[in-house]
Amino acid sequence: MIRRACIVWPALLLAGCSMNPQLEMPVAPVAAAYPLANAMDEAHAADLGWREMFGDPRLQRLIARALSDSRDLRIAVLNVEAARAQFRVQRGAMLPAVEVAGSYSRQRTSAAAEAEAGRGSEFDQFTAQAALTSFEIDLFGRSRSLSQAAFERYLATDEGRRATQIALIGAVADAYLAERLADEQLKLTEATLSDWRQSLDIARRMHAAGQNSGVDVAQAEGQVRQAEADLEARRRVLAQSTNALALLIGGPLPEDLPPPLSLAEQGIRTQLPAGLPSDLLVRRPDIREAEHQLVAANADVGAARAAFFPRLSLTAAFGFASGALDSLFNASSRAWSFTPQVAAPIFQGGQLRGNLDLAEVRKSVAVANYERAIQSAFREVADGLAGRATFERQLDAQRQAVATTARRVMLSDLRYRAGVFGRLELLDAQRDDYAARSALLDLERENLSNAIGLYRALGGGLLEYGAQD
C-alpha cells in the first residue's frame, strides 16, 4: 500500500496545471476625460455617503427602510448566497471524498452447495473500512478551471448586489422627488383654482353690472373648469407616486416620518465631482460584475480545453473484515483495494469541440458586455455632467420668467378692472403664469434628479457616511 501511495503522490503534485487562455482585459473604449469636466473633478462623488448626499431627514428614513425591507435587494442578497453555495459545491469536487462505512451480515449456505457436510452452514461477516471514491486527479486543470469560474461568478453576483443597492437608493430618491413634485403641483393647482374662482366671481359681478359681456363670463368659467380637471389629475399623480414609493421601500410609508421638505429645501448636492473615467472601473459595481463574468468565461474556456485530455481518477479503500466482531481489528483482518483509472476521449460526436466553441463565443460575449458596461457608465456620467453645467442657468432663467408672468398678471388684472382691455388678455396672462410656475417645479425636480443620476452613475450609494468617517 505504501509503495503504491508513493506512485500516486507525484501525480497529485503534478495536478492543477491550467489550460486557461491568457486573459488580457480590453482597453476601455471611452475617452480619457469627460466632456465638460472642470477643476472640482479631482475628487469623486462616490466617497460621499448617501446620508450626506440627501439632507432631507424624511428621505433618509425612507432610504434606510428600503435597504432593510426592499424585496429587490433581498433577492440580490439571496442570489449571492446561492452563488456562494455553488462555488462551495464546485470547490468540493477538487478534494477527495472519503467515506467511512461499517456493515454486518449473516449468511447461510445451502446443503446442496456443501455436499460433503450434508447440511448448510451459517456464518457472520463484520466489515469496517474507509474509502476514497472516484477522486479525479486534476492533471490538466479542468476542475480548477470550473472552480475558478464558479468563484468569479460568485464575486460577480456580489457586485450585482452592490449595484442593486446603488440603483435602489437612486430609485427611492427619484420616487420621493416625484411624490414631492406631485404634492407641490397639487398645491399650485389648488391655489390657482382659488384665484381663478375669484376672477370668475368678479366677472359675474361685472356682467351683472353691465360692465362686460357674457363672453368674459364664459371664458372665466372655462378656465375654472380646466383647473378643476387639472386638480383631479394632480391628485391621481400624487396617489400613484406614493404607491410607487411604498413599493420601493418594501411596505407602507411609516406614520412617524419627519415632515417633508419642499423641492427647493431638499439640500441635495447638485455640483458633484466626477473624478476620471478610469475611476469607473473600480467605482462601478456593474463594471466589476462584468469583469468577473469575463474572467469566469475565460476559465470556462480552460475547462473546455482540458476536457480533450485524459482524466485520471482514483478509487481506494482500506479496512477490516472478520467473521467475529472481537477479531475485526486484528492485523490478520486487514483488507485494502487500490484502483487507479485513466479515461481518454476518443470519439464524442463533436461534443468536445462544440463545448469549446461555445465557451469561446461566450467569452467574446462577456468581452462585449464588459466594454458595453464601461461605455454605458461613461455616457451616464457625461449626461450628468451636462446637466450639472446647464441646469443652474436654466433655473435662473425660469425664475425670471415666473417673475415676469406674475407681473403681467398683475398689470392685466388692473387694466381689465379699469376696462382698458378685455378678459382675453387677463386669461392669457393667468395661463402663462400657471404654466411658468408649473414648469419651474418640473425643472427643480429635473435638476435634483440629474444630481441623483450623476451620483448613481459615479458609483455613489454604497457608503452611509463619507469615506473620511
Side-chain angles (χ1 to χ4, degrees):
M1 184 68 178
I2 296 177
R3 289 195 302 269
R4 288 171 175 80
C6 292
I7 298 174
V8 174
W9 284 116
L12 293 174
L13 293 175
L14 290 174
C17 66
S18 176
M19 302 295 292
N20 295 354
Q22 183 68 30
L23 178 60
E24 296 182 2
M25 301 302 295
V27 178
V30 294
Y34 296 116
L36 302 177
N38 54 39
M40 79 161 56
D41 293 324
E42 294 180 0
H44 203 283
D47 293 329
L48 188 68
W50 59 261
R51 288 189 181 273
E52 297 168 295
M53 176 65 183
F54 307 111
D56 188 340
R58 185 182 181 93
L59 177 55
Q60 292 179 357
R61 282 279 303 278
L62 292 173
I63 291 176
R65 177 72 176 269
L67 292 177
S68 63
D69 294 350
S70 170
R71 301 309 186 273
D72 290 337
L73 189 57
R74 190 174 301 174
I75 291 172
V77 171
L78 292 175
N79 286 336
V80 173
E81 295 299 323
R84 182 184 301 167
Q86 182 61 43
F87 164 63
R88 288 199 298 265
V89 170
Q90 192 60 57
R91 182 181 59 182
M94 298 179 60
L95 302 175
V98 179
E99 297 179 356
V100 177
S103 65
Y104 164 73
S105 65
R106 182 173 179 81
Q107 299 182 15
R108 175 184 173 86
T109 60
S110 67
E114 301 205 16
E116 294 182 359
R119 60 182 178 80
S121 61
E122 297 180 359
F123 60 92
D124 297 325
Q125 179 73 26
F126 295 90
T127 62
Q129 69 173 9
L132 180 72
T133 56
S134 298
F135 170 55
E136 180 180 348
I137 301 175
D138 198 22
L139 292 177
F140 300 99
R142 189 186 72 89
S143 296
R144 177 175 294 185
S145 294
L146 292 175
S147 179
Q148 181 186 4
F151 179 65
E152 292 295 336
R153 290 191 172 94
Y154 155 62
L155 295 179
T157 308
D158 191 46
E159 294 296 346
R161 176 193 61 80
R162 295 170 180 266
T164 300
Q165 177 176 329
I166 291 175
L168 176 63
I169 291 175
V172 171
D174 272 330
Y176 178 70
L177 291 183
E179 185 204 37
R180 292 292 87 227
L181 173 64
D183 182 68
E184 293 190 35
Q185 291 280 24
L186 175 61
K187 292 177 180 177
L188 172 63
T189 303
E190 289 174 341
T192 301
L193 178 59
S194 178
D195 292 341
W196 289 358
R197 282 173 174 168
Q198 292 178 7
S199 295
L200 173 60
D201 183 63
I202 293 173
R204 285 172 174 170
R205 282 185 287 160
M206 293 179 67
H207 179 65
Q211 296 180 3
N212 63 15
S213 65
V215 174
D216 290 345
V217 176
Q219 290 173 343
E221 288 179 345
Q223 188 178 41
V224 169
R225 300 298 173 258
Q226 184 60 54
E228 290 174 345
D230 289 346
L231 183 64
E232 295 305 318
R234 300 299 187 190
R235 288 171 176 167
R236 181 176 62 253
V237 172
L238 177 59
Q240 292 173 343
S241 300
T242 303
N243 295 338
L245 186 56
L247 175 63
L248 284 170
I249 69 172
L253 272 64
E255 296 181 357
D256 60 343
L257 288 174
L261 300 179
S262 66
L263 291 175
E265 297 171 331
Q266 283 299 308
I268 295 177
R269 303 193 185 190
T270 57
Q271 298 298 311
L272 295 173
L276 297 174
S278 57
D279 295 336
L280 292 179
L281 301 183
V282 295
R283 299 278 190 174
R284 286 275 298 241
D286 57 334
I287 295 179
R288 296 199 300 268
E289 178 183 7
E291 180 180 352
H292 287 302
Q293 292 288 6
L294 174 55
V295 178
N298 187 68
D300 286 338
V301 174
R305 285 179 172 181
F308 284 87
F309 295 87
R311 296 186 187 180
L312 174 62
S313 60
L314 174 64
T315 299
F318 177 81
F320 300 88
S322 174
L325 181 60
D326 56 358
S327 62
L328 176 61
F329 295 103
N330 293 343
S332 59
S333 299
R334 287 186 302 177
W336 58 267
S337 65
F338 176 74
T339 311
Q341 181 180 5
V342 177
I346 300 299
F347 177 73
Q348 299 288 338
Q351 292 184 20
L352 296 179
R353 173 55 60 182
N355 287 334
L356 178 58
D357 292 343
L358 178 61
E360 290 176 343
V361 169
R362 286 176 174 170
K363 177 184 175 181
S364 298
V365 172
V367 171
N369 285 334
Y370 177 69
E371 294 175 333
R372 184 181 61 182
I374 296 175
Q375 290 178 328
S376 297
F378 184 90
R379 181 265 173 100
E380 291 171 1
V381 175
D383 287 348
L385 293 179
R388 185 186 72 177
T390 57
F391 266 117
E392 289 299 331
R393 294 194 297 270
Q394 187 180 2
L395 279 167
D396 289 340
Q398 188 63 34
R399 293 187 186 102
Q400 294 176 13
V402 169
T404 301
T405 57
R407 186 168 62 253
R408 180 188 170 195
V409 169
M410 180 189 66
L411 295 175
S412 298
D413 183 62
L414 291 176
R415 292 180 179 182
Y416 173 68
R417 293 178 185 234
V420 177
F421 289 103
R423 173 73 188 177
L424 183 59
E425 180 185 350
L426 176 60
L427 179 66
D428 288 341
Q430 289 175 331
R431 286 176 175 172
D432 289 345
D433 183 61
Y434 175 57
R437 293 179 185 276
S438 180
L440 178 60
L441 290 176
D442 287 334
L443 193 57
E444 288 176 343
R445 188 264 172 122
E446 290 176 10
N447 181 37
L448 297 176
S449 293
N450 179 78
I452 294 171
L454 179 57
Y455 182 64
R456 180 174 55 227
L458 292 170
L462 295 176
L463 299 175
E464 186 170 359
Y465 296 97
Q468 69 273 12
D469 296 335

